[in-house]
Each structure stands twice: as C-alpha cells, then as structure tokens.
Amino acid sequence: METETVAYGGQAVVEGVMFGGRHAQVTAIRRKNGEIEMFEQTRGKRTGLNLLKKIPLIRGVIALVESSASGSRHLQFAADRYELEPGEEPEQTSSRLELILGVAVVGVLSLVIGKMIFTALPALLASILFDGLVTNLILQNLIEGAIKTLLLLGYLLAISQAPLIKRLFQYHGAEHKVINAYESGEDLTVENVQKQSTLHYRCGSSFIILTVIVGVILYSFFSYDNVWDRIFTRLLLIPVVIGLSYELLRITNALRDVPVLTWLGYPGLWLQKLTTRQPEDDQVEVAIVAFNRMHQLDQEAAEPINGSSLVHSS
C-alpha cells in the first residue's frame, strides 16, 4: 500500500504535454520528424517557499505564480525544439530583454496582466451597462460574474477555432486520459488510455470557474461609489480571490467521492468540454511517455527519504 499520496497535474504544450509530480516536472513533445523529446526539471528544496506553500490563502497565490513560471519554461522548450531537425540546436540569443526578464518572468507577467484584464473589463462593462438599472449590490455582482463567464466562454470558443489551439486541446485531453487511466489502476497503454474520459476533476479549469464564483460572493461585502472605485476594489482583491478559490478547490477535490457533494466540481468539468478534445493515438503516446518518466523521477527522488517508491495520485 502506498505510504504517501501526491496529486499529479499536467498541462498541454506545443505538440506535447507537461506533467508535474511532487519532485519532478517532465515535458514530452512530438518533433516534426516524429521523434519524442523530453525536458526534465526536478523541484529544488526551497525552505522559505515551501513554508509559504503550507499557509492557507497564501499558498494558492504561490502555487499559481510558480505554475505559470514553470509552465512558461516548458512551453519555451516545446516551441524551440519542435521545428528543429535531428541534431540541430536552437539559436542562442543575447537579447537584453530576455536576459533581464527571462521566460519565466514573462510568463508570470502574462498571468498577472491577463488576470487584471479579465477582472477589470467585466467590472467596467457591468457598471456601464447595468448600474443605472440595478441597485442591489448582490445582483450587480451576479451580473458582473455572468459577464465574466460569457467573456471567458467567448474567448475559449474563439481561440478553439485555430488549428494550433485544437491540437493543444487534444493534448490536454490526452493528459487527462493518462491521469484517469493511472488513477484507475490501468496499464498505461494507448488502448487503455483511449478508453478514459478527457475530463478530470483536478484540472485548472475548475480553478478558473471557482474564481468567478468566489469573486461574486466576496465582492458582495464591498460597496463602491463609482466605476473606478469598483475596478480598483476588484484588482485589490485578486490575491484574496485566488487564495480562497485555491482552498475551495482543495475542498472539492477532497469531497469529490462524496455522492451529494460531488456536484461541486461539475462547473469545472463543464468548462473542460471546451478546453479538451479527443486526442489521436500518437498524442496519447506522447502523454504516456511524459507521465512514465515523471513518475520514475518522483520514485527515485522519494526512495532516499522513506525507502519506498510510494507515489500514487489521490
């Protein structure tokens, strides 16, 4: 029996997937020549950061920033390596901007800017279109939440029409299928994995929906005098919304097997209908390679600690 549990996670990258475990992250991509290439990173022991990850509310913000930074590095690897011929190496650049910011920092900045836009724009539209018609604070926040949801769904529908994004969503589906197969105790073969669902309870899509729901509730405790006051309040509360949403996500994951409470994760699963697609066999193969390597690295890193290869998802 496993002595410890770890929630494996992953995300789709350009022509590949990234899986993250307790000790390692692995990206596998399918090169243009058909070969599978991997990029591996082990998690360093950062005492201060690990301490922050144990503090409720704060750990959600830390996890999101860290995920964005590491995801950007893996995306850069995928983009750099995909077009190369066998034996060819990517060109080295010495751009001052790249040296100062770095790929990880750019990824975090993109996250912050994107979050600010999707927070400020719904508040602005709700104020302009409905504040003169609706005076109840709760109704105003519900309208703002509805606008934010419509903007999110419209954005996902729009980008999903691009061939590259469709491929990305297929790899997202492959990543979910592999995790589902592993958690079901199935051997990770293409045939077994393809039988699984493209939806998964712990996907980041659930987190996105939770931020909308938590925002609607939290904003109801703060009144505002004008549209700019409303936007400023929303932006100021972004870390709080993220922290609360992360804690709620942990709760929904813990309760997902309770029949009456399993519905808490349904909104995230519904959103995954947009962000995942049925993968092809060669995409599933890439996901299996990445997961197996990540699992192997996690086991190797865990053995010196407790003498067990332990790791299993929960």
Side-chain angles (χ1 to χ4, degrees), residues 3-302:
T3 58
E4 185 177 348
T5 59
V6 56
Y8 287 134
Q11 66 183 61
V13 297
V14 180
E15 289 301 325
V17 296
M18 182 189 81
F19 282 100
R22 182 178 295 277
H23 303 288
Q25 292 178 321
V26 174
T27 291
I29 63 168
R30 175 81 68 179
R31 297 270 297 277
K32 285 185 68 176
N33 63 3
E35 295 179 357
I36 297 177
E37 185 173 353
M38 288 187 288
F39 173 58
E40 305 169 1
Q41 280 188 315
T42 55
R43 301 179 187 273
K45 295 182 178 180
R46 293 166 288 185
T47 306
L49 191 60
N50 290 335
L51 179 61
L52 290 176
K53 290 180 181 179
K54 297 179 181 180
I55 303 176
L57 298 182
I58 293 178
R59 60 189 173 191
V61 177
I62 298 298
L64 187 62
V65 171
E66 186 179 42
S67 175
S68 179
S70 63
S72 297
R73 290 193 294 268
H74 286 257
L75 281 167
Q76 187 63 46
F77 160 78
D80 285 345
R81 303 298 301 185
Y82 173 65
E83 296 282 351
L84 298 181
E85 298 297 332
E88 184 181 1
E89 293 296 325
E91 294 182 6
Q92 300 296 319
T93 64
S94 56
S95 164
R96 180 172 178 79
L97 179 61
E98 290 178 346
L99 290 175
I100 293 176
L101 297 179
V103 174
V105 177
V106 171
V108 173
L109 289 176
S110 299
L111 167 69
V112 172
I113 293 172
K115 184 60 182 171
M116 291 176 66
I117 292 174
F118 270 92
T119 298
L121 184 57
L124 178 63
L125 292 176
S127 290
I128 294 175
L129 299 176
F130 295 100
D131 275 6
L133 303 174
V134 179
T135 57
N136 183 277
L137 186 61
I138 295 178
L139 287 179
Q140 288 175 343
N141 291 326
L142 286 173
I143 291 172
E144 182 180 337
I147 291 175
K148 183 180 293 187
T149 302
L150 289 175
L151 287 175
L152 173 63
L153 296 178
Y155 171 75
L156 290 174
L157 283 172
I159 66 172
S160 67
Q161 304 308 308
L164 178 61
I165 300 301
K166 288 181 180 179
R167 293 282 294 175
L168 193 71
F169 287 173
Q170 283 181 298
Y171 274 109
H172 191 194
E175 176 256 317
H176 284 181
K177 281 175 172 281
V178 168
I179 297 178
N180 283 330
Y182 176 77
E183 292 180 340
S184 298
E186 298 281 350
D187 291 333
L188 296 186
T189 64
V190 173
E191 182 180 3
N192 287 342
V193 170
Q194 284 286 35
K195 296 176 183 178
Q196 304 296 320
S197 171
T198 59
L199 310 182
H200 193 275
Y201 218 91
R202 287 196 307 273
C203 178
S205 300
S206 299
F207 178 78
I208 294 174
I209 289 296
L210 284 176
T211 61
V212 177
I213 298 173
V214 169
V216 168
I217 298 173
L218 183 63
Y219 299 156
S220 298
F221 293 94
F222 297 87
S223 60
Y224 56 89
D225 297 323
N226 54 64
V227 60
W228 304 116
D229 185 28
R230 181 179 194 172
I231 293 174
F232 177 75
T233 301
R234 303 310 190 246
L235 295 177
L236 201 63
L237 289 173
I238 285 177
V240 182
V241 171
I242 291 174
L244 288 172
S245 300
Y246 184 80
E247 299 305 320
L248 185 56
L249 182 63
R250 289 169 62 92
I251 293 172
T252 60
N253 286 337
L255 299 177
R256 68 182 186 273
D257 294 325
V258 179
V260 179
L261 300 179
T262 189
W263 59 268
L264 290 172
Y266 284 0
L269 295 176
W270 294 333
L271 186 59
Q272 290 175 46
K273 295 286 187 178
L274 292 178
T275 63
T276 62
R277 295 288 187 274
Q278 181 66 31
E280 300 171 1
D281 286 352
D282 64 329
Q283 293 172 314
V284 169
E285 183 183 3
V286 173
I288 291 173
V289 169
F291 184 89
N292 283 338
R293 180 56 179 162
M294 181 275 298
H295 191 210
Q296 178 186 356
L297 292 174
D298 258 16
Q299 289 180 314
E300 293 173 354

